[in-house]
Amino acid sequence: MGQDAASVEPSASAIVHHLEGVVIHGDQRGRQLGFPTANISPDAGWLMPPDGVYAGWLHISGEPPLPAAISVGANTTFDQTDKRCEVHVLDRTDLDLYGAKVHVTLTTRLRAMQRFGSTQELLSCLNRDIAHVRTLLRTPGGRQNGSRGLCHGDTSRSE
Ligand SMILES: Cc1cc2nc3c(=O)[nH]c(=O)nc-3n(C[C@H](O)[C@H](O)[C@H](O)COP(=O)(O)O)c2cc1C
């Protein structure tokens, strides 16, 4: 865990974290999966939030805050080990943010990152995450498809 904020991970889910940084290239998988993400490289002085999946907002200069589902941690489903912050803006596939300076507000922690047995299981969980985020952020529309309970991936290997 080193110097990051995981050492003070709260048990309560509603706590606000902030992160500022630049959008960098990820593995380009998100767009193929139907969930494009902006990968944030934190500026000096900003700690990565504790690992988990969050509801929150992406702030871009000159724009109103954009509702988002955010993952923090390693994408172990794809055998990655490096900790990342990835922001999926709800209902927006048109954004090209590479190189942009952004601010992320993480308002509610939904769950732990999990290692799923398949891409399909990850996608099912992402859909539930997004339905949950819509409820929490009171954003309308979109693919509300079922319960907003926990995801049931390979929890034995979750954080
Ligand atoms: C809301 C949300 C939840 C996620 N949860 C997980 C997870 O539990 N496990 C995991 O391995 N990856 C998770 N991811 C990350 C995806 O694996 C990642 O976005 C995808 O592989 C695309 O990565 P790329 O942008 O580097 O191409 C999540 C991403 C989002 C936006």
Side-chain angles (χ1 to χ4, degrees):
M1 281 189 264
Q3 295 297 307
D4 76 13
S7 55
V8 293
E9 181 165 4
S11 55
S13 59
I15 185 165
V16 176
H17 296 276
H18 294 276
L19 184 65
E20 208 161 278
V22 172
V23 178
I24 57 169
H25 285 276
D27 296 331
Q28 316 287 327
R29 194 185 302 109
R31 194 166 289 278
Q32 294 165 27
L33 295 175
F35 293 96
T37 59
N39 287 252
I40 314 300
S41 173
D43 286 350
W46 292 87
L47 293 175
M48 274 284 198
D51 285 10
V53 176
Y54 297 82
W57 303 90
L58 181 69
H59 306 266
I60 310 169
S61 178
E63 297 276 347
L66 300 167
I70 302 150
S71 68
V72 180
N75 297 340
T76 53
T77 302
F78 300 101
D79 297 324
Q80 290 172 344
T81 55
D82 55 313
K83 181 164 176 158
R84 301 171 175 199
C85 175
E86 295 192 19
V87 180
H88 170 72
V89 177
L90 270 54
D91 305 320
R92 295 290 297 266
T93 53
D94 58 317
L95 296 170
D96 180 3
L97 298 172
Y98 291 121
K101 168 83 81 174
V102 298
H103 187 109
V104 186
T105 308
L106 303 94
T107 56
T108 307
R109 188 177 186 275
L110 310 183
R111 64 173 174 89
M113 289 287 276
Q114 297 176 17
R115 178 173 183 139
F116 292 97
S118 68
T119 302
Q120 199 49 51
E121 287 177 43
L122 169 66
L123 289 174
S124 297
C125 194
L126 277 168
N127 277 307
R128 288 197 291 277
D129 291 336
I130 285 166
H132 195 174
V133 169
R134 285 189 202 288
T135 306
L136 288 166
L137 301 181
R138 300 177 195 283
T139 57
R143 299 168 287 185
Q144 297 228 18
N145 64 342
S147 76
R148 59 181 181 84
L150 291 171
C151 295
H152 300 289
D154 184 353
T155 49
S156 64
R157 288 184 289 172
S158 65
E159 72 178 19

